[in-house]
Structures are given as structure tokens and as C-alpha cells.
Amino acid sequence: MPRLALYDAAKFAARDFQPITDFAQPRNSLNLPFQGMTLYGDYAYQLLGTGYGPGNPARPGNTRLYRIDLRTGRVVQQVLERTASSLFPREPEGLAVVRSGGPWLVLGFAHGPSRNRAFSLYYKPID
């Protein structure tokens, strides 16, 4: 079972490997691949999903975004992520937080033909 752990960077660099929090990665009932994770405040945000294809039609797609409470390890929100749903093919490929002017949750998606793929970033406010 994969686990998620959060460490203080300075203590970790000093070889103090005691996590601030540590819990089993929340189960994913759809068995989607992990595509990214970021932290903001008391929450971890996790992006899951696959590229569009025969088992994952463009609408609605299968990209999921989880908000996980770092204090308990519990999923407090799970949404079907429709950001940039018109890209084709669209595959989730990363997640970050930008604080300037936000905070904003930034989602990355690869798209286009296999020999000429592009990568686009989209942002939305963190609620």
C-alpha cells in the first residue's frame, strides 16, 4: 500500500526522518494512475487519470482531483476534473500551487498527436 508522508525540509536535510504526518494513500476505486500531487495549507491535492482513448472517452474523461486532509489522511473532496476537456487527446500530467495573486491550483495536461505533443497549464482558485 503506497503511503504519503510529510517532512520538515530542514530536519530531513539534517537526517531527522520523523514525518510530520504519515498515512496510507487514499484508495482509488477507479484504479487510475497517479499524475501529480501538491500541498497547500492543511491539504494535499492529488491528480489521477489517463489520456483519452477507447477506455476513456473525451467526454467526460476520467481525470479526478482529490483533496486530502493532511491531519487525518481522509479524502474531503473528490471531483471529476473537466478543466481543458476540449484538448485532444488530453492526459493529466502534473499539479502545483501558485501563491502569487491566488492561491491557484495549476493543472498540467499533455495533448496533441504522439509525435508532436504539447503541454498546457491551466489554473483555478483554491476554494
Side-chain angles (χ1 to χ4, degrees):
M1 169 70 68
R3 300 193 62 79
L4 303 175
L6 179 65
Y7 297 87
D8 178 286
K11 289 181 179 179
F12 196 90
R15 306 188 60 77
D16 177 351
F17 303 122
Q18 293 299 313
I20 296 168
T21 187
D22 180 328
F23 52 86
Q25 183 177 11
R27 290 196 181 263
N28 163 12
S29 62
L30 300 173
N31 294 318
L32 297 172
F34 174 86
Q35 297 288 7
M37 178 168 275
T38 192
L39 301 172
Y40 185 74
D42 291 330
Y43 299 99
Y45 295 84
Q46 178 175 271
L47 188 65
L48 307 167
T50 61
Y52 291 154
N56 180 26
R59 290 192 177 62
N62 66 11
T63 301
R64 296 293 195 283
L65 181 63
Y66 285 49
R67 181 171 20 191
I68 304 161
D69 187 319
L70 290 169
R71 297 163 293 190
T72 65
R74 295 185 57 183
V75 173
V76 295
Q77 184 179 23
Q78 178 190 166
V79 296
L80 178 63
E81 186 54 60
R82 298 177 189 265
T83 299
S85 61
S86 63
L87 296 177
F88 194 84
R90 165 187 169 256
E91 182 175 356
E93 291 287 356
L95 193 60
V97 170
V98 172
R99 298 174 88 178
S100 178
W104 304 101
L105 192 58
V106 180
L107 299 99
F109 294 95
H111 55 94
S114 62
R115 293 182 181 232
N116 192 22
R117 305 254 351 225
F119 186 77
S120 295
L121 298 172
Y122 297 83
Y123 67 93
K124 61 187 195 175
I126 294 178
D127 300 333

